[in-house]
Amino acid sequence: MKAKKLIGALFISGAVFGTFAAEGISAEDWALYQEGINPGEVFAEEVGGALFEKPMGPEGKSCASCHTKNGEVEERVATAAAYYPKYDPSCGKVISLEQRIQLCQKKYQGVKPFSLKSKENTALTTYLFYLAAGTPINVDISSPVAKEYYEYGRYVFTLKRGKRHLSCQVCHEFAVGKLLRMQWLKPLGKDPVMGAEGSRAADHWPAFRMTKNKVQTLQQRFIGCQKQAGQKPLPLGSKEMVALELYVKSLSNGVELKTPGLRR
Ligand code: HEC
Ligand code: HEC
């Protein structure tokens, strides 16, 4: 494991450990936090990295067999996490990194792709985000199709849904700076909104969630909010979710990835 990547985990203060000690974290993960290790990085390397190297399909091709040169993952794949969701000409639409992985599994490995809900897809995604740590986020929102997705994503962000008639915007723009169940409501991008500092959400997801004891992607994090807000969750990989991801991620364009993160 690269030493520089562990530093990110060290900011976790004793107070935070104290809070989570009470929430049923496994003894194994507890030991990792105490050493300043982010279990998300272990997951990225040991589960995601192993899948990347694993030969699959009728011709026994691994991701690495196509994307590794001289023992290094080729640049465009190692930094792809900073540029997705991205327009894919063969699909004729904007796709998430999770879907790009599925595309390679189907098109180039000749296997049934891991589902977007699966641990395996999340592991490969987290591995690519781990490789891309330090790369500035730069999602395209200016080409015609990308722009359409960006605008649709902003629309989904502002759309009030569910029994409580809430939108993402209500909590992450209108109510920023207020406390909800002991958590501050924050804007999601790099810029402050009404004086409240942005959380730069896209720079630290996928993240290991201490309360869930597993790694979640940004889209999976959105589902957590949708459920809490009493909304029917949007399907992973749907046009709505991809557009929402593109919109939220664009709010952190220029910010370096610090993935995988470590969150409550
Ligand atoms: C047989 C070769 C082959 C295999 C195996 C393969 N890929 Fe690919 N991959 C490609 C090619 C060729 C492209 C670019 C052309 C395209 O868009 O289809 C690509 C594109 C990509 C991209 C997008 C890069 C960009 O610039 O947008 C990512 C990310 C990626 N592959 C990841 C993976 C992962 C993860 C696996 C294993 C699950 C995998 N690939 C398996 C050949 C392969
Ligand atoms: C009822 C209020 C509420 C609604 C509605 C809501 N959220 Fe949240 N959201 C929260 C709270 C509270 C947090 C936790 C704050 C934290 O992590 O510090 C959070 C956290 C997040 C995070 C993680 C932030 C980070 O920096 O790690 C993301 C991403 C997010 N929300 C996206 C969304 C999206 C997208 C929607 C709409 C589908 C949405 N939220 C709707 C209250 C809400």
PDB file of all heavy atoms in Angstrom, residues 157 164 166-172 180 183-186 188 199-201 204-205 218 221-222 225-226 228-229 231 244 248 263, ligand 2:
ATOM      1  N   PHE A 157     -31.977  17.505  -9.222  1.00  0.00           N
ATOM      2  CA  PHE A 157     -31.541  18.051  -7.931  1.00  0.00           C
ATOM      3  C   PHE A 157     -32.606  18.966  -7.309  1.00  0.00           C
ATOM      4  O   PHE A 157     -32.760  19.022  -6.094  1.00  0.00           O
ATOM      5  CB  PHE A 157     -30.238  18.834  -8.165  1.00  0.00           C
ATOM      6  CG  PHE A 157     -29.570  19.335  -6.924  1.00  0.00           C
ATOM      7  CD1 PHE A 157     -28.761  18.496  -6.162  1.00  0.00           C
ATOM      8  CD2 PHE A 157     -29.722  20.658  -6.511  1.00  0.00           C
ATOM      9  CE1 PHE A 157     -28.132  18.961  -5.012  1.00  0.00           C
ATOM     10  CE2 PHE A 157     -29.096  21.129  -5.366  1.00  0.00           C
ATOM     11  CZ  PHE A 157     -28.295  20.278  -4.615  1.00  0.00           C
ATOM     12  N   ARG A 164     -42.604  13.628   1.722  1.00  0.00           N
ATOM     13  CA  ARG A 164     -42.278  14.878   2.426  1.00  0.00           C
ATOM     14  C   ARG A 164     -42.032  16.049   1.480  1.00  0.00           C
ATOM     15  O   ARG A 164     -41.639  17.123   1.909  1.00  0.00           O
ATOM     16  CB  ARG A 164     -41.066  14.671   3.330  1.00  0.00           C
ATOM     17  CG  ARG A 164     -41.454  13.901   4.564  1.00  0.00           C
ATOM     18  CD  ARG A 164     -40.307  13.788   5.533  1.00  0.00           C
ATOM     19  NE  ARG A 164     -40.188  12.424   5.982  1.00  0.00           N
ATOM     20  CZ  ARG A 164     -39.051  11.787   6.206  1.00  0.00           C
ATOM     21  NH1 ARG A 164     -37.896  12.411   6.022  1.00  0.00           N
ATOM     22  NH2 ARG A 164     -39.042  10.549   6.606  1.00  0.00           N
ATOM     23  N   LEU A 166     -39.676  16.792  -0.646  1.00  0.00           N
ATOM     24  CA  LEU A 166     -38.343  17.383  -0.498  1.00  0.00           C
ATOM     25  C   LEU A 166     -37.535  17.188  -1.776  1.00  0.00           C
ATOM     26  O   LEU A 166     -37.721  16.210  -2.504  1.00  0.00           O
ATOM     27  CB  LEU A 166     -37.587  16.693   0.641  1.00  0.00           C
ATOM     28  CG  LEU A 166     -37.993  17.045   2.062  1.00  0.00           C
ATOM     29  CD1 LEU A 166     -37.362  16.057   3.052  1.00  0.00           C
ATOM     30  CD2 LEU A 166     -37.573  18.472   2.402  1.00  0.00           C
ATOM     31  N   SER A 167     -36.637  18.102  -2.029  1.00  0.00           N
ATOM     32  CA  SER A 167     -35.659  17.935  -3.113  1.00  0.00           C
ATOM     33  C   SER A 167     -34.275  17.976  -2.484  1.00  0.00           C
ATOM     34  O   SER A 167     -34.116  18.437  -1.350  1.00  0.00           O
ATOM     35  CB  SER A 167     -35.789  19.068  -4.124  1.00  0.00           C
ATOM     36  OG  SER A 167     -35.406  20.289  -3.513  1.00  0.00           O
ATOM     37  N   CYS A 168     -33.292  17.554  -3.259  1.00  0.00           N
ATOM     38  CA  CYS A 168     -31.901  17.671  -2.800  1.00  0.00           C
ATOM     39  C   CYS A 168     -31.620  19.144  -2.461  1.00  0.00           C
ATOM     40  O   CYS A 168     -30.961  19.462  -1.477  1.00  0.00           O
ATOM     41  CB  CYS A 168     -30.910  17.236  -3.883  1.00  0.00           C
ATOM     42  SG  CYS A 168     -31.335  15.768  -4.827  1.00  0.00           S
ATOM     43  N   GLN A 169     -32.147  19.995  -3.307  1.00  0.00           N
ATOM     44  CA  GLN A 169     -31.896  21.426  -3.165  1.00  0.00           C
ATOM     45  C   GLN A 169     -32.382  21.981  -1.827  1.00  0.00           C
ATOM     46  O   GLN A 169     -31.733  22.854  -1.249  1.00  0.00           O
ATOM     47  CB  GLN A 169     -32.612  22.163  -4.316  1.00  0.00           C
ATOM     48  CG  GLN A 169     -32.331  23.648  -4.365  1.00  0.00           C
ATOM     49  CD  GLN A 169     -33.137  24.318  -5.465  1.00  0.00           C
ATOM     50  OE1 GLN A 169     -34.244  23.896  -5.801  1.00  0.00           O
ATOM     51  NE2 GLN A 169     -32.576  25.371  -6.034  1.00  0.00           N
ATOM     52  N   VAL A 170     -33.505  21.481  -1.342  1.00  0.00           N
ATOM     53  CA  VAL A 170     -34.049  21.996  -0.080  1.00  0.00           C
ATOM     54  C   VAL A 170     -32.996  21.852   1.019  1.00  0.00           C
ATOM     55  O   VAL A 170     -32.719  22.800   1.754  1.00  0.00           O
ATOM     56  CB  VAL A 170     -35.363  21.262   0.307  1.00  0.00           C
ATOM     57  CG1 VAL A 170     -35.778  21.604   1.739  1.00  0.00           C
ATOM     58  CG2 VAL A 170     -36.469  21.619  -0.662  1.00  0.00           C
ATOM     59  N   CYS A 171     -32.383  20.677   1.121  1.00  0.00           N
ATOM     60  CA  CYS A 171     -31.413  20.446   2.191  1.00  0.00           C
ATOM     61  C   CYS A 171     -30.015  20.958   1.832  1.00  0.00           C
ATOM     62  O   CYS A 171     -29.310  21.469   2.693  1.00  0.00           O
ATOM     63  CB  CYS A 171     -31.335  18.960   2.529  1.00  0.00           C
ATOM     64  SG  CYS A 171     -32.812  18.389   3.406  1.00  0.00           S
ATOM     65  N   HIS A 172     -29.607  20.797   0.579  1.00  0.00           N
ATOM     66  CA  HIS A 172     -28.217  21.108   0.232  1.00  0.00           C
ATOM     67  C   HIS A 172     -28.010  22.514  -0.340  1.00  0.00           C
ATOM     68  O   HIS A 172     -26.896  22.870  -0.691  1.00  0.00           O
ATOM     69  CB  HIS A 172     -27.658  20.037  -0.703  1.00  0.00           C
ATOM     70  CG  HIS A 172     -27.473  18.713  -0.018  1.00  0.00           C
ATOM     71  ND1 HIS A 172     -26.512  18.511   0.960  1.00  0.00           N
ATOM     72  CD2 HIS A 172     -28.152  17.540  -0.117  1.00  0.00           C
ATOM     73  CE1 HIS A 172     -26.585  17.259   1.400  1.00  0.00           C
ATOM     74  NE2 HIS A 172     -27.573  16.645   0.772  1.00  0.00           N
ATOM     75  N   LEU A 180     -29.382  18.949  11.018  1.00  0.00           N
ATOM     76  CA  LEU A 180     -30.434  17.944  10.881  1.00  0.00           C
ATOM     77  C   LEU A 180     -29.922  16.673  11.530  1.00  0.00           C
ATOM     78  O   LEU A 180     -28.888  16.142  11.131  1.00  0.00           O
ATOM     79  CB  LEU A 180     -30.736  17.702   9.396  1.00  0.00           C
ATOM     80  CG  LEU A 180     -31.822  16.676   9.117  1.00  0.00           C
ATOM     81  CD1 LEU A 180     -33.209  17.233   9.443  1.00  0.00           C
ATOM     82  CD2 LEU A 180     -31.798  16.235   7.657  1.00  0.00           C
ATOM     83  N   GLN A 183     -26.372  16.584  12.208  1.00  0.00           N
ATOM     84  CA  GLN A 183     -25.429  16.759  11.100  1.00  0.00           C
ATOM     85  C   GLN A 183     -25.708  18.076  10.399  1.00  0.00           C
ATOM     86  O   GLN A 183     -26.861  18.423  10.149  1.00  0.00           O
ATOM     87  CB  GLN A 183     -25.582  15.620  10.105  1.00  0.00           C
ATOM     88  CG  GLN A 183     -25.012  14.329  10.621  1.00  0.00           C
ATOM     89  CD  GLN A 183     -24.960  13.297   9.510  1.00  0.00           C
ATOM     90  OE1 GLN A 183     -25.943  12.654   9.187  1.00  0.00           O
ATOM     91  NE2 GLN A 183     -23.801  13.168   8.910  1.00  0.00           N
ATOM     92  N   TRP A 184     -24.636  18.795  10.054  1.00  0.00           N
ATOM     93  CA  TRP A 184     -24.791  20.065   9.363  1.00  0.00           C
ATOM     94  C   TRP A 184     -25.206  19.828   7.926  1.00  0.00           C
ATOM     95  O   TRP A 184     -24.661  18.949   7.262  1.00  0.00           O
ATOM     96  CB  TRP A 184     -23.468  20.846   9.363  1.00  0.00           C
ATOM     97  CG  TRP A 184     -23.070  21.301  10.730  1.00  0.00           C
ATOM     98  CD1 TRP A 184     -22.096  20.755  11.522  1.00  0.00           C
ATOM     99  CD2 TRP A 184     -23.620  22.386  11.469  1.00  0.00           C
ATOM    100  NE1 TRP A 184     -22.022  21.433  12.713  1.00  0.00           N
ATOM    101  CE2 TRP A 184     -22.932  22.442  12.710  1.00  0.00           C
ATOM    102  CE3 TRP A 184     -24.634  23.325  11.224  1.00  0.00           C
ATOM    103  CZ2 TRP A 184     -23.237  23.391  13.686  1.00  0.00           C
ATOM    104  CZ3 TRP A 184     -24.919  24.276  12.196  1.00  0.00           C
ATOM    105  CH2 TRP A 184     -24.225  24.297  13.418  1.00  0.00           C
ATOM    106  N   LEU A 185     -26.146  20.605   7.453  1.00  0.00           N
ATOM    107  CA  LEU A 185     -26.512  20.543   6.040  1.00  0.00           C
ATOM    108  C   LEU A 185     -25.526  21.405   5.270  1.00  0.00           C
ATOM    109  O   LEU A 185     -25.318  22.572   5.609  1.00  0.00           O
ATOM    110  CB  LEU A 185     -27.945  21.033   5.850  1.00  0.00           C
ATOM    111  CG  LEU A 185     -29.000  20.095   6.444  1.00  0.00           C
ATOM    112  CD1 LEU A 185     -30.382  20.741   6.413  1.00  0.00           C
ATOM    113  CD2 LEU A 185     -29.024  18.764   5.701  1.00  0.00           C
ATOM    114  N   LYS A 186     -24.932  20.807   4.256  1.00  0.00           N
ATOM    115  CA  LYS A 186     -23.878  21.503   3.515  1.00  0.00           C
ATOM    116  C   LYS A 186     -24.159  21.501   2.024  1.00  0.00           C
ATOM    117  O   LYS A 186     -24.735  20.537   1.504  1.00  0.00           O
ATOM    118  CB  LYS A 186     -22.539  20.790   3.722  1.00  0.00           C
ATOM    119  CG  LYS A 186     -22.018  20.849   5.128  1.00  0.00           C
ATOM    120  CD  LYS A 186     -20.716  20.071   5.212  1.00  0.00           C
ATOM    121  CE  LYS A 186     -20.379  19.725   6.656  1.00  0.00           C
ATOM    122  NZ  LYS A 186     -19.628  18.492   6.753  1.00  0.00           N
ATOM    123  N   LEU A 188     -22.964  20.833  -1.756  1.00  0.00           N
ATOM    124  CA  LEU A 188     -22.195  19.653  -2.156  1.00  0.00           C
ATOM    125  C   LEU A 188     -20.958  19.956  -2.994  1.00  0.00           C
ATOM    126  O   LEU A 188     -20.144  19.070  -3.240  1.00  0.00           O
ATOM    127  CB  LEU A 188     -23.097  18.682  -2.926  1.00  0.00           C
ATOM    128  CG  LEU A 188     -24.295  18.137  -2.139  1.00  0.00           C
ATOM    129  CD1 LEU A 188     -25.192  17.303  -3.050  1.00  0.00           C
ATOM    130  CD2 LEU A 188     -23.837  17.297  -0.948  1.00  0.00           C
ATOM    131  N   SER A 199     -18.995  20.851   0.797  1.00  0.00           N
ATOM    132  CA  SER A 199     -18.326  19.631   1.291  1.00  0.00           C
ATOM    133  C   SER A 199     -17.513  18.939   0.202  1.00  0.00           C
ATOM    134  O   SER A 199     -16.837  17.965   0.474  1.00  0.00           O
ATOM    135  CB  SER A 199     -19.365  18.646   1.840  1.00  0.00           C
ATOM    136  OG  SER A 199     -20.098  18.058   0.777  1.00  0.00           O
ATOM    137  N   ARG A 200     -17.591  19.444  -1.039  1.00  0.00           N
ATOM    138  CA  ARG A 200     -16.863  18.830  -2.159  1.00  0.00           C
ATOM    139  C   ARG A 200     -17.125  17.335  -2.206  1.00  0.00           C
ATOM    140  O   ARG A 200     -16.186  16.522  -2.241  1.00  0.00           O
ATOM    141  CB  ARG A 200     -15.357  19.069  -1.991  1.00  0.00           C
ATOM    142  CG  ARG A 200     -15.025  20.521  -1.876  1.00  0.00           C
ATOM    143  CD  ARG A 200     -13.606  20.732  -1.415  1.00  0.00           C
ATOM    144  NE  ARG A 200     -13.252  22.137  -1.599  1.00  0.00           N
ATOM    145  CZ  ARG A 200     -12.053  22.570  -1.886  1.00  0.00           C
ATOM    146  NH1 ARG A 200     -11.048  21.733  -2.014  1.00  0.00           N
ATOM    147  NH2 ARG A 200     -11.820  23.848  -2.058  1.00  0.00           N
ATOM    148  N   ALA A 201     -18.389  16.996  -2.212  1.00  0.00           N
ATOM    149  CA  ALA A 201     -18.780  15.585  -2.089  1.00  0.00           C
ATOM    150  C   ALA A 201     -18.060  14.687  -3.096  1.00  0.00           C
ATOM    151  O   ALA A 201     -17.636  13.588  -2.755  1.00  0.00           O
ATOM    152  CB  ALA A 201     -20.297  15.451  -2.249  1.00  0.00           C
ATOM    153  N   HIS A 204     -14.506  12.735  -2.464  1.00  0.00           N
ATOM    154  CA  HIS A 204     -14.217  11.651  -1.509  1.00  0.00           C
ATOM    155  C   HIS A 204     -15.124  10.420  -1.597  1.00  0.00           C
ATOM    156  O   HIS A 204     -15.046   9.550  -0.742  1.00  0.00           O
ATOM    157  CB  HIS A 204     -14.169  12.192  -0.081  1.00  0.00           C
ATOM    158  CG  HIS A 204     -15.396  12.937   0.338  1.00  0.00           C
ATOM    159  ND1 HIS A 204     -15.515  14.296   0.203  1.00  0.00           N
ATOM    160  CD2 HIS A 204     -16.566  12.516   0.868  1.00  0.00           C
ATOM    161  CE1 HIS A 204     -16.707  14.679   0.649  1.00  0.00           C
ATOM    162  NE2 HIS A 204     -17.357  13.619   1.051  1.00  0.00           N
ATOM    163  N   TRP A 205     -15.987  10.344  -2.619  1.00  0.00           N
ATOM    164  CA  TRP A 205     -16.765   9.124  -2.845  1.00  0.00           C
ATOM    165  C   TRP A 205     -16.228   8.432  -4.071  1.00  0.00           C
ATOM    166  O   TRP A 205     -15.904   9.136  -5.012  1.00  0.00           O
ATOM    167  CB  TRP A 205     -18.269   9.427  -3.031  1.00  0.00           C
ATOM    168  CG  TRP A 205     -18.843   9.982  -1.780  1.00  0.00           C
ATOM    169  CD1 TRP A 205     -18.900  11.295  -1.438  1.00  0.00           C
ATOM    170  CD2 TRP A 205     -19.401   9.249  -0.676  1.00  0.00           C
ATOM    171  NE1 TRP A 205     -19.470  11.419  -0.195  1.00  0.00           N
ATOM    172  CE2 TRP A 205     -19.785  10.185   0.290  1.00  0.00           C
ATOM    173  CE3 TRP A 205     -19.611   7.875  -0.420  1.00  0.00           C
ATOM    174  CZ2 TRP A 205     -20.367   9.807   1.498  1.00  0.00           C
ATOM    175  CZ3 TRP A 205     -20.191   7.510   0.769  1.00  0.00           C
ATOM    176  CH2 TRP A 205     -20.575   8.469   1.725  1.00  0.00           C
ATOM    177  N   LEU A 218     -20.777   7.219  -4.976  1.00  0.00           N
ATOM    178  CA  LEU A 218     -21.534   8.472  -4.871  1.00  0.00           C
ATOM    179  C   LEU A 218     -23.023   8.228  -5.149  1.00  0.00           C
ATOM    180  O   LEU A 218     -23.884   8.722  -4.427  1.00  0.00           O
ATOM    181  CB  LEU A 218     -20.953   9.506  -5.847  1.00  0.00           C
ATOM    182  CG  LEU A 218     -21.469  10.942  -5.731  1.00  0.00           C
ATOM    183  CD1 LEU A 218     -21.265  11.518  -4.336  1.00  0.00           C
ATOM    184  CD2 LEU A 218     -20.796  11.852  -6.762  1.00  0.00           C
ATOM    185  N   ARG A 221     -24.584   6.712  -2.259  1.00  0.00           N
ATOM    186  CA  ARG A 221     -24.767   7.731  -1.200  1.00  0.00           C
ATOM    187  C   ARG A 221     -26.024   8.547  -1.459  1.00  0.00           C
ATOM    188  O   ARG A 221     -26.748   8.884  -0.524  1.00  0.00           O
ATOM    189  CB  ARG A 221     -23.527   8.637  -1.126  1.00  0.00           C
ATOM    190  CG  ARG A 221     -23.617   9.722  -0.053  1.00  0.00           C
ATOM    191  CD  ARG A 221     -23.573   9.119   1.329  1.00  0.00           C
ATOM    192  NE  ARG A 221     -23.847  10.058   2.416  1.00  0.00           N
ATOM    193  CZ  ARG A 221     -25.071  10.408   2.818  1.00  0.00           C
ATOM    194  NH1 ARG A 221     -26.137   9.923   2.224  1.00  0.00           N
ATOM    195  NH2 ARG A 221     -25.235  11.252   3.823  1.00  0.00           N
ATOM    196  N   PHE A 222     -26.276   8.847  -2.748  1.00  0.00           N
ATOM    197  CA  PHE A 222     -27.504   9.581  -3.097  1.00  0.00           C
ATOM    198  C   PHE A 222     -28.732   8.790  -2.628  1.00  0.00           C
ATOM    199  O   PHE A 222     -29.696   9.369  -2.132  1.00  0.00           O
ATOM    200  CB  PHE A 222     -27.642   9.772  -4.621  1.00  0.00           C
ATOM    201  CG  PHE A 222     -26.617  10.668  -5.278  1.00  0.00           C
ATOM    202  CD1 PHE A 222     -26.502  10.692  -6.676  1.00  0.00           C
ATOM    203  CD2 PHE A 222     -25.783  11.503  -4.547  1.00  0.00           C
ATOM    204  CE1 PHE A 222     -25.584  11.508  -7.312  1.00  0.00           C
ATOM    205  CE2 PHE A 222     -24.846  12.323  -5.185  1.00  0.00           C
ATOM    206  CZ  PHE A 222     -24.749  12.319  -6.570  1.00  0.00           C
ATOM    207  N   CYS A 225     -29.661   9.383   0.908  1.00  0.00           N
ATOM    208  CA  CYS A 225     -30.403  10.634   1.113  1.00  0.00           C
ATOM    209  C   CYS A 225     -31.834  10.520   0.618  1.00  0.00           C
ATOM    210  O   CYS A 225     -32.761  11.027   1.250  1.00  0.00           O
ATOM    211  CB  CYS A 225     -29.700  11.807   0.420  1.00  0.00           C
ATOM    212  SG  CYS A 225     -28.441  12.564   1.466  1.00  0.00           S
ATOM    213  N   GLN A 226     -32.006   9.845  -0.517  1.00  0.00           N
ATOM    214  CA  GLN A 226     -33.363   9.702  -1.057  1.00  0.00           C
ATOM    215  C   GLN A 226     -34.242   8.931  -0.069  1.00  0.00           C
ATOM    216  O   GLN A 226     -35.387   9.319   0.183  1.00  0.00           O
ATOM    217  CB  GLN A 226     -33.315   8.997  -2.425  1.00  0.00           C
ATOM    218  CG  GLN A 226     -32.726   9.907  -3.508  1.00  0.00           C
ATOM    219  CD  GLN A 226     -32.297   9.155  -4.769  1.00  0.00           C
ATOM    220  OE1 GLN A 226     -32.342   7.940  -4.850  1.00  0.00           O
ATOM    221  NE2 GLN A 226     -31.870   9.908  -5.762  1.00  0.00           N
ATOM    222  N   GLN A 228     -33.779   8.641   3.206  1.00  0.00           N
ATOM    223  CA  GLN A 228     -33.998   9.465   4.401  1.00  0.00           C
ATOM    224  C   GLN A 228     -35.015  10.556   4.158  1.00  0.00           C
ATOM    225  O   GLN A 228     -35.701  10.983   5.069  1.00  0.00           O
ATOM    226  CB  GLN A 228     -32.674  10.107   4.831  1.00  0.00           C
ATOM    227  CG  GLN A 228     -31.745   9.119   5.498  1.00  0.00           C
ATOM    228  CD  GLN A 228     -31.028   9.722   6.682  1.00  0.00           C
ATOM    229  OE1 GLN A 228     -30.760  10.933   6.718  1.00  0.00           O
ATOM    230  NE2 GLN A 228     -30.731   8.906   7.659  1.00  0.00           N
ATOM    231  N   ALA A 229     -35.080  11.014   2.902  1.00  0.00           N
ATOM    232  CA  ALA A 229     -36.019  12.086   2.574  1.00  0.00           C
ATOM    233  C   ALA A 229     -37.398  11.528   2.213  1.00  0.00           C
ATOM    234  O   ALA A 229     -38.275  12.272   1.779  1.00  0.00           O
ATOM    235  CB  ALA A 229     -35.466  12.930   1.424  1.00  0.00           C
ATOM    236  N   GLN A 231     -38.127   9.418  -0.209  1.00  0.00           N
ATOM    237  CA  GLN A 231     -38.336   9.292  -1.652  1.00  0.00           C
ATOM    238  C   GLN A 231     -38.063   7.863  -2.106  1.00  0.00           C
ATOM    239  O   GLN A 231     -37.197   7.191  -1.551  1.00  0.00           O
ATOM    240  CB  GLN A 231     -37.360  10.199  -2.422  1.00  0.00           C
ATOM    241  CG  GLN A 231     -37.534  11.667  -2.151  1.00  0.00           C
ATOM    242  CD  GLN A 231     -36.464  12.493  -2.846  1.00  0.00           C
ATOM    243  OE1 GLN A 231     -35.444  11.963  -3.303  1.00  0.00           O
ATOM    244  NE2 GLN A 231     -36.696  13.787  -2.929  1.00  0.00           N
ATOM    245  N   LEU A 244     -27.605  13.271 -12.302  1.00  0.00           N
ATOM    246  CA  LEU A 244     -27.408  13.844 -10.966  1.00  0.00           C
ATOM    247  C   LEU A 244     -25.935  13.743 -10.562  1.00  0.00           C
ATOM    248  O   LEU A 244     -25.358  14.693 -10.018  1.00  0.00           O
ATOM    249  CB  LEU A 244     -28.298  13.080  -9.975  1.00  0.00           C
ATOM    250  CG  LEU A 244     -28.517  13.636  -8.585  1.00  0.00           C
ATOM    251  CD1 LEU A 244     -29.064  15.052  -8.637  1.00  0.00           C
ATOM    252  CD2 LEU A 244     -29.488  12.736  -7.796  1.00  0.00           C
ATOM    253  N   VAL A 248     -23.599  16.927  -9.728  1.00  0.00           N
ATOM    254  CA  VAL A 248     -22.940  17.082  -8.412  1.00  0.00           C
ATOM    255  C   VAL A 248     -21.411  17.077  -8.583  1.00  0.00           C
ATOM    256  O   VAL A 248     -20.697  17.858  -7.959  1.00  0.00           O
ATOM    257  CB  VAL A 248     -23.408  15.979  -7.424  1.00  0.00           C
ATOM    258  CG1 VAL A 248     -22.554  15.948  -6.167  1.00  0.00           C
ATOM    259  CG2 VAL A 248     -24.876  16.189  -7.059  1.00  0.00           C
ATOM    260  N   ARG A 263     -15.980   8.043   5.751  1.00  0.00           N
ATOM    261  CA  ARG A 263     -17.077   8.875   6.234  1.00  0.00           C
ATOM    262  C   ARG A 263     -17.930   8.143   7.261  1.00  0.00           C
ATOM    263  O   ARG A 263     -17.959   6.930   7.300  1.00  0.00           O
ATOM    264  CB  ARG A 263     -17.978   9.312   5.064  1.00  0.00           C
ATOM    265  CG  ARG A 263     -17.370  10.454   4.205  1.00  0.00           C
ATOM    266  CD  ARG A 263     -17.242  11.724   5.011  1.00  0.00           C
ATOM    267  NE  ARG A 263     -16.686  12.857   4.299  1.00  0.00           N
ATOM    268  CZ  ARG A 263     -15.394  13.114   4.100  1.00  0.00           C
ATOM    269  NH1 ARG A 263     -14.476  12.271   4.509  1.00  0.00           N
ATOM    270  NH2 ARG A 263     -15.005  14.204   3.481  1.00  0.00           N
TER     271      ARG A 263
HETATM  272  C1  HEC B   2     -33.701  15.997   4.422  1.00  0.00           C
HETATM  273  C2  HEC B   2     -32.490  16.650   4.001  1.00  0.00           C
HETATM  274  C3  HEC B   2     -31.713  16.031   2.855  1.00  0.00           C
HETATM  275  C4  HEC B   2     -32.165  15.798   1.572  1.00  0.00           C
HETATM  276  C5  HEC B   2     -33.548  16.031   1.006  1.00  0.00           C
HETATM  277  C6  HEC B   2     -31.008  15.326   0.840  1.00  0.00           C
HETATM  278  N1  HEC B   2     -29.929  15.257   1.664  1.00  0.00           N
HETATM  279 FE1  HEC B   2     -28.058  14.731   1.120  1.00  0.00          FE
HETATM  280  N2  HEC B   2     -27.433  14.884   3.058  1.00  0.00           N
HETATM  281  C7  HEC B   2     -28.209  15.280   4.112  1.00  0.00           C
HETATM  282  C8  HEC B   2     -27.443  15.173   5.344  1.00  0.00           C
HETATM  283  C9  HEC B   2     -27.914  15.514   6.743  1.00  0.00           C
HETATM  284  C10 HEC B   2     -26.159  14.692   4.968  1.00  0.00           C
HETATM  285  C11 HEC B   2     -24.975  14.382   5.877  1.00  0.00           C
HETATM  286  C12 HEC B   2     -24.081  15.540   5.963  1.00  0.00           C
HETATM  287  C13 HEC B   2     -22.659  15.127   6.073  1.00  0.00           C
HETATM  288  O1  HEC B   2     -22.269  14.083   5.531  1.00  0.00           O
HETATM  289  O2  HEC B   2     -21.905  15.885   6.688  1.00  0.00           O
HETATM  290  C14 HEC B   2     -26.192  14.524   3.528  1.00  0.00           C
HETATM  291  C15 HEC B   2     -25.118  14.094   2.780  1.00  0.00           C
HETATM  292  C16 HEC B   2     -25.105  14.002   1.393  1.00  0.00           C
HETATM  293  C17 HEC B   2     -23.954  13.651   0.609  1.00  0.00           C
HETATM  294  C18 HEC B   2     -22.569  13.376   1.149  1.00  0.00           C
HETATM  295  C19 HEC B   2     -21.837  14.689   1.302  1.00  0.00           C
HETATM  296  C20 HEC B   2     -20.343  14.546   1.480  1.00  0.00           C
HETATM  297  O3  HEC B   2     -19.651  15.542   1.286  1.00  0.00           O
HETATM  298  O4  HEC B   2     -19.858  13.449   1.777  1.00  0.00           O
HETATM  299  C21 HEC B   2     -24.327  13.683  -0.693  1.00  0.00           C
HETATM  300  C22 HEC B   2     -23.463  13.391  -1.899  1.00  0.00           C
HETATM  301  C23 HEC B   2     -25.734  14.032  -0.730  1.00  0.00           C
HETATM  302  N3  HEC B   2     -26.161  14.234   0.556  1.00  0.00           N
HETATM  303  C24 HEC B   2     -26.480  14.158  -1.872  1.00  0.00           C
HETATM  304  C25 HEC B   2     -27.846  14.364  -1.890  1.00  0.00           C
HETATM  305  C26 HEC B   2     -28.663  14.317  -3.088  1.00  0.00           C
HETATM  306  C27 HEC B   2     -28.136  14.095  -4.497  1.00  0.00           C
HETATM  307  C28 HEC B   2     -29.944  14.521  -2.702  1.00  0.00           C
HETATM  308  C29 HEC B   2     -31.190  14.470  -3.555  1.00  0.00           C
HETATM  309  C30 HEC B   2     -31.474  13.211  -4.195  1.00  0.00           C
HETATM  310  C31 HEC B   2     -29.925  14.719  -1.258  1.00  0.00           C
HETATM  311  N4  HEC B   2     -28.648  14.611  -0.804  1.00  0.00           N
HETATM  312  C32 HEC B   2     -31.049  14.984  -0.491  1.00  0.00           C
HETATM  313  C33 HEC B   2     -29.506  15.714   4.036  1.00  0.00           C
HETATM  314  C34 HEC B   2     -30.308  15.671   2.901  1.00  0.00           C
END
